[in-house]
Amino acid sequence: MKKILFYTSGVGLGGVERVILEILKAIDKKKFDIKLGLQYENENTFENEIPKEINYKYMLPQVIIDKSLYYRSKKKNVFYKVLYSFMLKYEKYLIKKNYLEFSKDRDIVIDFKSGDFLKLIELKNEENKKQICWLHGEITKLNRYKERKNKLKKQFKNCDKIVCICNEMKENVIKEIPEIEDKLEMIYNPFNIEKIRKLSENIFELSEEEKELLTDKYIIMVSRLELKMKDFFTLFKAYQKILLNNNDLKLYLLGEGPDRKKIEEEIKKMNLESKILLLGMKKNPYPWIKNAKLLIHSSKHEGLPTVLIEALILKKIIISTNCPTGPKEILNNGKYGSLVNIGDYKAMADEIYDLLNKNSEKRNQYLEYINEAIQRFDSKIIIKQIEKVLEEL
């Protein structure tokens, strides 16, 4: 039985977190002895969904550095700068110590967060552990990629396998680092189709106010509220144009993030406070997606956007920006949903207007092919591919 360690930041409210939980639930526990290493205990929303057979541990059991200390260190105060630097080093020491202890009996260690922990998984003991990096985003968008490009390339070369979650991503990695082509595997994220559809029917835990919102006529975007990757402002312009002919249509945003205040300010500036509703993060987003007229995904770059696949599973009409990477591949160049250029709010508005019409020829075409679209992502198929990679290492 091979001993595997999956390592990621946590099991909070995010696409990557949902993917790793699906893998852990479906992988054959008779073939593999699994451990789960988690960086931060505060990212623990779905901790209760970790299978009981899996031993998991937080490398940093509690938050050591207070946020206020970070902000104080940015000011011209030498004491706080030194203190913050010391606490940061102490935090890294604890993570490294706990990781080495937790991983010492493993055969394979997997960095499941796009290379964030490559440096950590290369801390080998005497055993020659096999190493895998699971990429979830476009390689040049990795944290400070330009600064650490050469170091990352070396770390990628030291990996035994690098998993890309779509073909476009794999092609981009080959273009960026051609010498690691033989290490690359393309494996889509797995989805439990039956479970997602079942959860979409579960509205019993919603408040009366939330149930009322579900009955409104609305389009939806489900995303982290940050502006570096997501293109909310193009969506807002498109939506404002649509309101000229669809004044009763609302726009719901599901998610939280660091740029919430900036997004709220833009909504206010456009006088759309009564039309665009920021509903926060939802533990179960599926009823909200299921009851939407359309799902819009306005983004600048991605990995393999989970929400697009979940929307297809729930038989939703999709409009997405044609950003790297993922949307074009998920929607098969426009066969399963609409693709518009990044920043083109007029094209996005035209697509929304057309696809809101139940007699739209394009809309009916998308609905016809939805079952075909989702088969590629069925957990039963994907888990076998993952197990094959692990068995062959």
Side-chain angles (χ1 to χ4, degrees), residues 202-219:
N202 183 9
I203 62 170
F204 306 110
E205 294 178 2
L206 299 180
S207 67
E208 290 305 313
E209 184 184 358
E210 288 175 320
K211 288 176 186 175
E212 187 68 28
L213 288 172
L214 284 179
T215 65
D216 280 349
K217 182 182 176 184
Y218 67 90
I219 58 177

Side-chain angles (χ1 to χ4, degrees), residues 1 63 78 91 97 105 145 180 203 205 207 221 243 322:
M1 183 183 284
V63 177
V78 176
E91 188 180 88
K97 177 178 176 290
D105 65 338
Y145 180 74
I180 63 169
I203 62 170
E205 294 178 2
S207 67
M221 179 164 168
L243 284 176
N322 190 13

Side-chain angles (χ1 to χ4, degrees), residues 147-387:
E147 296 173 35
R148 54 196 278 248
K149 185 175 180 179
N150 291 331
K151 192 179 285 186
L152 262 176
K153 282 185 177 183
K154 184 180 176 182
Q155 289 172 325
F156 281 132
K157 287 176 191 176
N158 288 336
C159 287
D160 297 278
K161 285 288 177 187
I162 297 162
V163 176
C164 302
I165 57 175
C166 68
N167 286 302
E168 187 181 359
M169 186 186 296
K170 183 178 176 181
E171 289 164 11
N172 288 349
V173 174
I174 293 170
K175 185 178 177 182
E176 191 73 14
I177 319 174
E179 56 268 40
I180 63 169
E181 182 174 358
D182 62 331
K183 297 175 183 286
L184 298 177
E185 293 280 346
M186 196 293 289
I187 303 176
Y188 287 132
N189 290 336
F191 291 81
N192 187 325
I193 294 169
E194 293 80 10
K195 182 183 176 184
I196 289 170
R197 287 177 176 166
K198 189 175 179 181
L199 284 169
S200 74
E201 303 288 343
N202 183 9
I203 62 170
F204 306 110
E205 294 178 2
L206 299 180
S207 67
E208 290 305 313
E209 184 184 358
E210 288 175 320
K211 288 176 186 175
E212 187 68 28
L213 288 172
L214 284 179
T215 65
D216 280 349
K217 182 182 176 184
Y218 67 90
I219 58 177
I220 194 167
M221 179 164 168
V222 182
S223 170
R224 180 171 164 79
L225 300 183
E226 59 93 16
L227 297 170
K228 186 178 179 182
M229 286 180 62
K230 312 302 178 185
D231 191 8
F232 289 99
F233 296 170
T234 292
L235 172 58
F236 293 170
K237 288 179 186 176
Y239 172 66
Q240 190 175 49
K241 196 168 185 288
I242 283 294
L243 284 176
L244 297 173
N245 296 302
N246 292 270
N247 192 51
D248 59 338
L249 183 71
K250 290 186 178 176
L251 169 59
Y252 291 174
L253 303 181
L254 254 62
E256 276 299 345
D259 292 325
R260 183 185 179 105
K261 190 175 179 182
K262 290 179 183 176
I263 291 166
E264 286 175 334
E265 287 170 355
E266 185 67 17
I267 292 169
K268 189 175 181 180
K269 195 166 105 179
M270 297 176 78
N271 296 314
L272 293 173
E273 301 102 304
S274 64
K275 297 292 187 180
I276 302 177
L277 304 185
L278 276 67
L279 301 177
M281 187 70 79
K282 301 295 180 185
K283 196 170 181 179
N284 178 9
Y286 304 124
W288 300 92
I289 297 172
K290 182 178 185 291
N291 288 282
K293 300 300 178 187
L294 303 171
L295 181 131
I296 318 288
H297 192 69
S298 186
S299 191
K300 298 170 187 173
H301 54 86
E302 287 289 344
L304 187 76
T306 300
V307 70
L308 294 189
I309 300 164
E310 292 168 333
L312 287 172
I313 289 169
L314 297 175
K315 301 184 177 180
K316 287 290 103 183
I317 302 296
I318 294 168
I319 300 167
S320 175
T321 46
N322 190 13
C323 65
T325 61
K328 182 168 63 176
E329 194 162 328
I330 293 169
L331 300 178
N332 195 4
N333 295 303
K335 184 179 181 181
Y336 306 138
S338 286
L339 293 163
V340 297
N341 290 331
I342 299 167
D344 192 343
Y345 75 92
K346 291 180 181 177
M348 186 179 285
D350 289 343
E351 290 299 305
I352 294 171
Y353 183 78
D354 180 27
L355 294 170
L356 283 172
N357 179 3
K358 289 186 178 179
N359 296 318
S360 163
E361 189 177 322
K362 193 184 284 187
R363 177 189 176 92
N364 293 328
Q365 175 197 311
Y366 294 154
L367 290 171
E368 182 184 346
Y369 288 113
I370 273 180
N371 285 333
E372 175 184 298
I374 62 176
Q375 294 310 310
R376 301 164 290 165
F377 308 104
D378 192 324
S379 181
K380 298 182 188 74
I381 296 168
I382 304 301
I383 294 300
K384 287 180 181 176
Q385 295 173 357
I386 292 171
E387 289 179 348

Side-chain angles (χ1 to χ4, degrees), residues 49-74:
E49 291 194 22
I50 299 171
K52 291 178 181 177
E53 310 96 306
I54 291 175
N55 181 11
Y56 68 93
K57 181 177 180 178
Y58 294 99
M59 302 301 115
L60 198 66
Q62 59 187 13
V63 177
I64 293 174
I65 303 175
D66 188 274
K67 278 187 179 178
S68 64
L69 180 59
Y70 169 77
Y71 293 116
R72 287 175 181 176
S73 73
K74 293 293 179 184

